[in-house]
Amino acid sequence: MSRKRVFDLLRTINVAACQCPAHSHRGNIQVTNTTPSKDYAFEIKCSTVRYGLGVTKEVGLDLFNLGAKNVCVMTDPNVVSLSPTKAVLDSLTKHGIHYKVYDGVRVEPTDSSFKAAIDFAKAGNFDSFVAVGGGSVMDTCKAANLYSCDPEAEFLDYVNQPIGKGKEVTVQLKPLIAIPTTSGTGSETTGMSIFDYEAIQAKTGIANAALRPLLALIDPLHTLSVPKNVAIYSGFDIFCHALESFTAIPYSERGPAPTNPALRPVYQGSNPISDVWSRFCLQSLAKYFSRSVNNADDVEARSSMHLAATMAGVGIGNAGVHLCHGLAYPIAGNVKQFVPEDYGKDPIIPHGLSVVVTAPAVFQFTAQSDPDKHLEASNLLGTDISGKKQKDAGKILSDTILKYMEMMKIDNGLTGLGYSLEDIPQLVKGALPQHRLLKLTPLPQTKEDLQHILEDSLTIY
């Protein structure tokens, strides 16, 4: 074929080609080298998830398949004597896996408790990790894994900015298998590790995909012994994870776009795939939350809540959470004398309680960003929205949340947790550094906005 005929044929194809974006290859699209001011993509990353009654018994074989020779098993002083830990250790013993147990994890960990676990991990020279417990255990184990693999790092090197340096993780971490025993945090699927930073009396954390567990074993049998109040507060953690990731700023509105895809943050904003998980969780809460709390032997309900916690983790692990969590960190960090039932004798505000206490006010504030999504969330939680107007979306979702809080007998706002109007400035001060979360809120906030939300949360009924 002559050169002229080749070019004539190419011109004919170019003119006749379908012009839709999926099929057009006309070659007339211009690409610039400038970095867009807002992101244009999202990524979905999560741990491998294995779900099933009794699946914990497989952990020994998993470690054997990984070639593990020296395993660190992390748990807390309560879980260490319960059946989940026994099931793990039995499986490791059966398959000839050498291990050491660290049971000093603090519920609602601090930088001090993180450092103690890190020291244990460094001294043990472990080649793999297993976390057995709630979010506190899994988050502590992630940090121990990270810093033992980078023993020269200063503690604040990897902590989120502006509190820490926010250093990228470039070292290779050891395999970590997470076995959650509560239904709330979803930490088994995320690259997040959260702790109370005692110097500022507020929570912060480490956020990097490298922290994400290699495998999550979701065994509903472990939830059957969870006390009632733990089930309530863990459930509200799922509740806020789903609502916040569903209403977070859209991924295409978050910016700037990364100069390298490896720099795209763990929390990227709401997206069509994370929304699927959020909807699933909200529907599960409507159907199973009350049942799982009021009947510990309801295997279906507790199993479904356990799965919902993991699915919420998949959603938040990529979309992120926003204002409820940003405000929760100083609420938990400044605890005075509040001691909830089922949580021991020391003052503590459980994470799920600290996030939900401001939720009615938060979603009244954010509703104008996307009224339809806020109305949809209300509907998924069981509220009839037929005939409801967009301008009422915030009030409707707020009332829906309050219905659940009242049903679960949640304390009457911040005053019920021991705070007063005089404490609001300190709580605002602790929330302001939570840039990672505040920037995911679908509306920008001023210091005064945060103050008003907290004031509106002093009493909620």
Side-chain angles (χ1 to χ4, degrees), residues 207-290:
N208 194 283
L211 272 64
R212 186 177 281 111
L214 175 70
L215 172 66
L217 296 180
I218 315 302
D219 189 341
L221 287 178
H222 300 331
T223 69
L224 301 181
S225 59
V226 171
K228 183 173 183 177
N229 275 310
V230 177
I232 289 172
Y233 299 141
S234 297
F236 275 118
D237 199 11
I238 304 173
F239 195 97
C240 288
H241 285 165
L243 282 176
E244 290 175 71
S245 59
F246 192 55
T247 58
I249 187 172
Y251 76 94
S252 56
E253 292 297 317
R254 185 195 56 77
T259 55
N260 184 315
L263 300 178
R264 185 164 279 113
V266 174
Y267 281 1
Q268 302 164 46
S270 63
N271 59 75
I273 296 179
S274 68
D275 283 354
V276 171
W277 303 122
S278 297
R279 290 185 176 99
F280 172 86
C281 294
L282 294 172
Q283 290 172 324
S284 296
L285 285 159
K287 187 173 182 179
Y288 297 112
F289 192 5
S290 179

Side-chain angles (χ1 to χ4, degrees), residues 36-55:
S37 61
K38 293 181 179 178
D39 212 337
Y40 52 88
F42 66 90
E43 296 180 354
I44 296 295
K45 295 180 180 179
C46 67
S47 303
T48 297
V49 172
R50 186 184 303 150
Y51 172 92
L53 291 166
V55 75

Side-chain angles (χ1 to χ4, degrees), residues 67-182:
K69 304 295 184 185
N70 187 26
V71 179
C72 175
V73 178
M74 282 206 171
T75 188
D76 66 39
N78 299 314
V79 178
V80 71
S81 59
L82 300 179
S83 58
T85 303
K86 182 179 185 302
V88 169
L89 300 186
D90 285 349
S91 182
L92 268 58
T93 300
K94 178 180 178 180
H95 296 285
I97 305 296
H98 178 266
Y99 65 85
K100 288 185 179 179
V101 176
Y102 179 80
D103 62 1
V105 172
R106 185 183 189 274
V107 178
E108 303 296 338
T110 65
D111 51 309
S112 296
S113 71
F114 263 24
K115 290 171 184 175
I118 291 166
D119 289 342
F120 181 86
K122 286 180 177 179
N125 193 29
F126 300 107
D127 60 17
S128 50
F129 292 81
V130 176
V132 190
S136 298
V137 171
M138 291 183 280
D139 287 2
T140 300
C141 197
K142 291 174 187 177
N145 188 5
L146 171 61
Y147 288 96
S148 65
C149 292
D150 189 3
E152 301 304 316
E154 299 291 334
F155 182 72
L156 288 179
D157 281 354
Y158 291 110
V159 174
N160 297 322
Q161 295 180 332
I163 297 167
K165 297 178 182 178
K167 178 182 173 182
E168 278 298 307
V169 177
T170 57
V171 295
Q172 181 66 45
L173 271 61
K174 304 294 173 58
L176 191 164
I177 297 177
I179 305 176
T181 58
T182 60

Side-chain angles (χ1 to χ4, degrees), residues 247-370:
T247 58
I249 187 172
Y251 76 94
S252 56
E253 292 297 317
R254 185 195 56 77
T259 55
N260 184 315
L263 300 178
R264 185 164 279 113
V266 174
Y267 281 1
Q268 302 164 46
S270 63
N271 59 75
I273 296 179
S274 68
D275 283 354
V276 171
W277 303 122
S278 297
R279 290 185 176 99
F280 172 86
C281 294
L282 294 172
Q283 290 172 324
S284 296
L285 285 159
K287 187 173 182 179
Y288 297 112
F289 192 5
S290 179
R291 282 174 52 185
S292 71
V293 166
N294 293 314
N295 185 1
D297 296 326
D298 189 332
V299 176
E300 181 188 14
R302 292 228 162 174
S303 297
S304 298
M305 289 293 289
H306 207 39
L307 183 59
T310 298
M311 294 303 98
V314 173
I316 67 157
N318 297 281
V321 289
H322 56 79
L323 201 46
C324 292
H325 275 70
L327 294 171
Y329 290 171
I331 291 171
N334 286 273
V335 61
K336 297 179 180 181
Q337 301 300 321
F338 185 78
V339 181
E341 189 177 347
D342 298 327
Y343 280 84
K345 298 179 180 179
D346 297 325
I348 185 176
I349 299 177
H351 179 60
L353 177 57
S354 68
V355 293
V356 79
V357 71
T358 62
V362 164
F363 290 103
Q364 285 234 51
F365 172 76
T366 61
Q368 61 180 296
S369 67
D370 192 338

